[in-house]
Amino acid sequence: MADRLGYQAAFWTMTCPSKYHAFYSTGGQNKKYKGDGVLDGQEYLCTLWAGFRAWLKRNGIDGFGFRVAEPHHDGCPHWHVLYFAPKTQLQKASTELEKRCLREDGGEFGATKNRFKVEWIERGEDEEGRTLSAAAYIAKYISKSIDGHQVGFDKETGQDTQISSERVVTWARTWGIRQFQQIG
């Protein structure tokens, strides 16, 4: 559908401010942590997204996509969003979402590097002959969050995804977090 409409695909990663993270990825305790739990981090992301959705509507950006929620090393959620829209609208939306992700504690160390990332999904083949597509890209994140089938090594957890995916499923069930959500 996106191809027929001539839409571009962007892959956004949104992360909570550091005060939602109990531990650094290196294992040390985060002194900025305020005691918020996993659900507080999820609520932060839901609220941020609701405001952004309203902005999209006000600005006539009617795209569609898919969201995947995953835990960080300390259980704090982060979201991956694959979103399709006309290229100029998608660029405008990406800029707005980044601003919103940095609105709270955006001046803290590492915020501009870690709080929001956008990857523009290309079509075609990579240097190894693998097909590049938005579907293939999001399939990797879905698989990492279900059973890890044919994904291999997960850089964040340092484990094979067939092992780490069990923990992701348990995390989502424990906290009642919807792992997957269609958009539009």
Side-chain angles (χ1 to χ4, degrees), residues 22-170:
F23 298 95
Y24 296 114
S25 59
T26 56
Q29 190 170 3
N30 178 9
K31 291 177 180 34
K32 292 181 182 177
Y33 179 59
K34 301 291 185 200
D36 290 326
V38 171
L39 295 179
D40 296 310
Q42 181 70 358
E43 182 179 334
Y44 166 83
L45 292 170
C46 287
T47 302
L48 187 150
W49 186 256
F52 178 64
R53 259 191 0 248
W55 179 90
L56 288 170
K57 187 173 178 90
R58 283 192 309 274
N59 285 273
I61 299 174
D62 189 27
F64 56 89
F66 199 78
R67 177 199 45 87
V68 178
E70 291 181 333
H72 276 287
H73 60 282
D74 62 353
C76 183
H78 65 284
W79 287 7
H80 301 289
V81 178
L82 176 64
Y83 198 77
F84 297 93
K87 188 173 186 173
T88 56
Q89 291 181 355
L90 197 54
Q91 289 169 329
K92 183 178 176 183
S94 296
T95 299
E96 179 63 23
L97 185 55
E98 181 176 26
K99 278 195 283 188
R100 288 172 180 269
C101 286
L102 293 171
R103 195 173 278 165
E104 188 174 324
D105 300 335
E108 69 183 357
F109 179 77
T112 55
K113 180 183 175 203
N114 299 309
R115 197 78 63 75
F116 174 81
K117 293 178 186 169
V118 61
E119 295 177 62
W120 299 96
I121 307 300
E122 301 296 327
R123 291 187 210 126
E125 287 188 1
D126 68 8
E127 58 278 351
E128 296 173 14
R130 293 181 299 210
T131 301
L132 300 173
S133 72
Y137 209 85
I138 195 71
K140 171 185 149 189
Y141 285 88
I142 293 169
S143 183
K144 273 177 47 174
S145 296
I146 296 174
D147 62 8
H149 183 69
Q150 292 190 336
V151 176
F153 187 75
D154 184 358
K155 292 179 206 169
E156 186 175 342
T157 64
Q159 296 178 327
D160 183 283
T161 54
Q162 290 188 320
I163 295 168
S164 63
S165 63
E166 291 176 15
R167 293 180 177 173
V168 172
V169 170
T170 301

